[in-house]
């Protein structure tokens, strides 16, 4: 006895039904894609909308902070002026520091037993000094002090002996020109 | 005739649609989807990324400005005004020659020296700062001259030593000294900070210098000024 099924429908109807099922599948896929697209678009627009709210809030905060700083601008201006003025004072005060240091150094290097008769420091940093002493050893000690870097602390660039003489009173007079760095 | 042609065309289109329906519908919906993606979704997404960066920058600016505002609020307004008065006393806007002369006089007296003469010399300009000269002649012990020179560094005006000429009187220990001094002043500067510029606080060196200058100027009204001068001065500033 035969058990296989025989479709008695005409081939045109079978073909039509296959065609219809394909069309239904394609339509459903299309609707699915459109639905996903609508979802993505809605999500994007919602994200942008909430982001705009965040941006507005951030800009309001910025305006408020700028307003606070603007109100305190006078204090800021005072601080800036103070710093500028201090910087100017600092630079002006430092310009003659080496002259004062060298002057004090030279006075400290003159040994006891000598007498300074003249001492001048010009604006180019050259010291001219005349010293009297009864002893050549003391004068030698002075010259040695002036030429020892450890004692001059690197402030003296050159020492020129201009004159050495013996006066009638028995005192030696030495004239020096000392250059300051 | 025309109506028949239109009807015929419509029927042909309908037949074409029915025959290729399986391709046409997906193609149309696909094309519409692509258009929506490229014309709506992508631009909005790119805009979202740009705006997110902008929000981050704005929030950073807000934090910086709030920190700056807090720093400014913490500044003592009275001290700031006093400090400004101090620096403007030490480096004034105008020459104020009488004040400078009075300060030097006071310094010479405190060093135990005698002021022989003071000579005003012509003003000059040093890169933004103005200056004039005061040539002073003093007499006294050499050691006190050193004290006076040290005081120049902490004086309530900016004095710059130009040169020194010392002549010692034999046997007396007294020195006659001529010291040309440059006295500085500086015109008014208009400085307004930018809103987004960070606040520059005073450094330790600046604080130390300010403390020295405050000590030199002293409490308000105690530093020598033109009204306290022992020398009759006539006009407030005869050299202008």
């Amino acid at each position: 006895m035969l058990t296989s099924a025989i479709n008695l429908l005409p081939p045109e109807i079978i073909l039509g039904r296959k065609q219809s099922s394909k069309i239904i599948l394609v339509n459903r896929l299309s609707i699915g894609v459109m639905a996903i697209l609508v979802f993505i678009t809605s999500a994007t627009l919602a994200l942008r909308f909430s982001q705009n709210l965040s941006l507005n809030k951030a800009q309001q905060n910025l305006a408020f902070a700028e307003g606070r700083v603007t109100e305190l601008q006078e204090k800021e201006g005072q601080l800036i002026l103070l710093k500028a003025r201090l910087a100017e004072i600092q630079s002006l005060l430092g310009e003659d520091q080496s002259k004062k240091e060298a002057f004090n150094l030279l006075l400290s290097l003159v040994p006891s037993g000598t007498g300074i008769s003249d001492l001048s420091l010009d604006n180019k940093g050259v010291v001219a000094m005349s010293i009297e002493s009864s002893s050549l050893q003391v004068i030698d000690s002075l010259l040695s002090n002036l030429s020892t870097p450890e004692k001059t602390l690197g402030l003296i660039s050159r020492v020129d002996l201009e004159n050495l003489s013996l006066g009638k009173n028995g005192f030696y007079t030495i004239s020096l020109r000392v250059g300051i760095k | 005739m025309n109506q028949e042609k239109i009807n015929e065309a419509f029927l042909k289109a309908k037949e074409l649609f029915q025959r290729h329906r399986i391709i046409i519908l997906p193609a149309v919906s696909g094309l519409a989807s692509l258009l929506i993606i490229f014309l709506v979704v992508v631009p909005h997404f790119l805009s979202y990324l740009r705006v997110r960066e902008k929000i981050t920058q704005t929030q950073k600016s807000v934090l910086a400005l709030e920190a700056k505002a807090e720093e400014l609020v913490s500044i003592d307004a009275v001290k700031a005004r006093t400090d400004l008065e101090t620096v403007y006393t030490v480096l004034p806007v105008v020459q104020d020659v009488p004040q400078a002369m009075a300060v030097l006089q006071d310094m010479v007296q405190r060093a135990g020296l005698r002021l022989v003469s003071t000579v005003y010399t012509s003003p000059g300009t040093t890169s933004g700062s103005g200056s004039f000269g005061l040539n002073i002649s003093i007499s006294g012990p050499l050691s006190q001259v050193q004290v006076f020179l040290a005081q120049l560094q902490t004086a309530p005006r900016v004095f710059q030593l130009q040169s020194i000429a010392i002549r010692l009187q034999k046997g007396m220990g007294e020195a006659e000294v001529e010291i040309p001094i440059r006295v500085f002043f500086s015109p008014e500067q208009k400085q307004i900070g930018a809103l987004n510029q960070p606040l520059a606080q005073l450094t330790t060196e600046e604080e130390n210098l300010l403390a020295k200058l405050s000590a030199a100027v002293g409490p308000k009204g105690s530093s020598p000024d033109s009204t306290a001068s022992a020398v009759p001065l006539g006009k407030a500033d005869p050299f202008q």
Side-chain angles (χ1 to χ4, degrees):
Chain A
M1 193 163 140
L2 284 172
T3 56
S4 59
I6 298 171
N7 196 343
L8 297 174
L9 287 174
E12 304 82 27
I13 293 173
I14 294 170
L15 207 63
R17 282 191 180 172
K18 278 184 184 174
Q19 196 85 343
S20 293
S21 66
K22 279 184 191 173
I23 289 169
I24 289 167
L25 180 65
V26 166
N27 285 345
R28 283 180 180 168
L29 278 173
S30 300
I31 290 167
V33 165
M34 290 299 286
I36 291 170
L37 196 65
V38 165
F39 173 75
I40 291 172
T41 307
S42 305
T44 305
L45 291 174
L47 204 62
R48 287 282 288 124
F49 179 71
S50 77
Q51 194 187 51
N52 277 344
L53 291 175
S54 300
L55 178 63
N56 285 341
K57 192 177 175 197
Q59 284 174 338
Q60 276 174 8
N61 290 341
L62 181 65
F64 178 72
E66 283 176 349
R68 268 191 86 191
V69 172
T70 304
E71 279 172 17
L72 298 164
Q73 218 167 23
E74 189 188 335
K75 268 193 186 178
E76 188 182 7
Q78 284 178 344
L79 187 58
I80 290 172
L81 274 173
L82 184 62
K83 278 184 73 75
R85 217 86 180 159
L86 281 171
E88 206 173 346
I89 291 170
Q90 181 70 43
S91 80
L92 289 171
L93 285 177
E95 283 179 16
D96 63 347
Q97 191 57 25
S98 60
K99 283 184 198 166
K100 289 176 196 159
E101 284 175 2
F103 176 76
N104 289 328
L105 174 71
L106 282 170
L107 288 180
S108 69
L109 290 176
V110 174
S112 56
T114 57
I116 301 173
S117 51
D118 280 302
L119 190 150
S120 66
L121 165 64
D122 67 14
N123 54 8
K124 290 176 187 166
V126 176
V127 175
M129 46 200 289
S130 292
I131 296 170
E132 280 187 356
S133 177
S134 58
S135 163
L136 267 179
Q137 276 178 332
V138 171
I139 289 176
D140 182 54
S141 172
L142 167 65
L143 291 173
S144 172
N145 288 343
L146 289 173
S147 52
T148 307
E150 289 81 22
K151 289 192 177 175
T152 60
L153 306 174
L155 289 174
I156 293 176
S157 59
R158 60 183 292 155
V159 179
D160 294 328
L161 174 61
E162 292 204 317
N163 187 36
L164 177 62
S165 60
L166 175 62
K168 286 179 185 173
N169 55 4
F171 276 73
Y172 294 95
T173 302
I174 181 170
S175 298
L176 297 169
R177 286 181 75 83
V178 180
I180 296 167
K181 283 183 185 170
Chain B
M1 195 69 177
N2 279 339
Q3 188 65 32
E4 277 178 17
K5 279 189 181 172
I6 290 169
N7 287 340
E8 202 180 313
F10 180 71
L11 282 169
K12 272 188 184 171
K14 197 175 172 183
E15 191 192 344
L16 197 69
F17 177 74
Q18 288 293 336
R19 213 182 314 152
H20 299 290
R21 173 162 72 159
I22 198 164
I23 297 169
I24 291 173
L25 280 177
V28 167
S29 72
L31 195 65
S33 304
L34 283 173
L35 278 174
I36 290 171
I37 286 172
F38 286 111
L39 293 180
V40 176
V41 176
V42 169
H44 273 282
F45 183 71
L46 291 175
S47 181
Y48 166 79
L49 293 175
R50 271 196 305 273
V51 172
R52 190 175 70 163
E53 180 62 32
K54 191 176 173 185
I55 290 174
T56 308
Q57 291 301 324
T58 305
Q59 284 168 342
K60 277 185 188 170
S61 298
V62 168
L63 287 173
L65 283 171
E66 281 177 355
K68 187 176 177 180
E70 288 303 316
E71 283 182 51
L72 284 170
V73 163
S74 69
I75 292 174
D76 184 351
V78 172
K79 185 177 180 302
R81 208 164 22 248
T82 309
D83 290 341
L84 261 185
E85 282 172 5
T86 299
V87 295
Y88 274 98
T89 301
V90 173
L91 188 66
V93 174
V94 293
Q95 289 188 32
D96 203 355
V97 176
Q99 187 252 358
M101 289 172 75
V103 165
L104 276 175
Q105 240 180 343
D106 182 63
M107 285 166 59
V108 166
Q109 281 171 6
R110 281 196 279 124
L113 299 165
R114 189 170 63 89
L115 181 64
V116 175
S117 67
T118 309
V119 177
Y120 169 87
T121 59
S122 59
T125 311
T126 313
S127 61
S129 306
S131 67
F132 58 92
L134 284 179
N135 295 351
I136 60 170
S137 295
I138 54 179
S139 67
L142 192 58
S143 57
Q144 297 310 110
V145 173
Q146 286 180 280
V147 169
F148 171 74
L149 291 178
Q151 282 178 0
L152 283 178
Q153 194 69 16
T154 55
R157 275 298 291 263
V158 177
F159 294 125
Q160 214 177 67
L161 185 71
Q162 298 297 290
S163 62
I164 307 172
I166 300 177
R167 178 153 291 171
L168 278 102
Q169 296 171 9
K170 285 180 188 176
M172 291 178 68
E174 286 259 310
E176 287 176 8
V177 189
E178 285 183 18
I179 308 179
I181 292 174
R182 205 89 211 143
V183 188
F184 285 88
F185 59 97
S186 183
E188 183 71 80
Q189 294 151 318
K190 290 221 174 207
Q191 301 249 3
I192 307 262
L195 205 59
N196 294 323
Q197 202 178 1
L199 189 66
Q201 298 282 13
L202 292 181
T203 61
T204 313
E205 279 177 6
E206 287 168 344
E207 294 272 8
N208 292 339
L209 176 60
L210 190 55
K212 281 183 196 167
L213 295 176
S214 299
V217 170
K220 203 177 173 184
S222 73
S223 63
D225 59 13
S226 56
T227 58
S229 172
V231 177
L233 296 166
K235 290 195 287 183
D237 193 348
F239 300 102
Q240 280 189 338

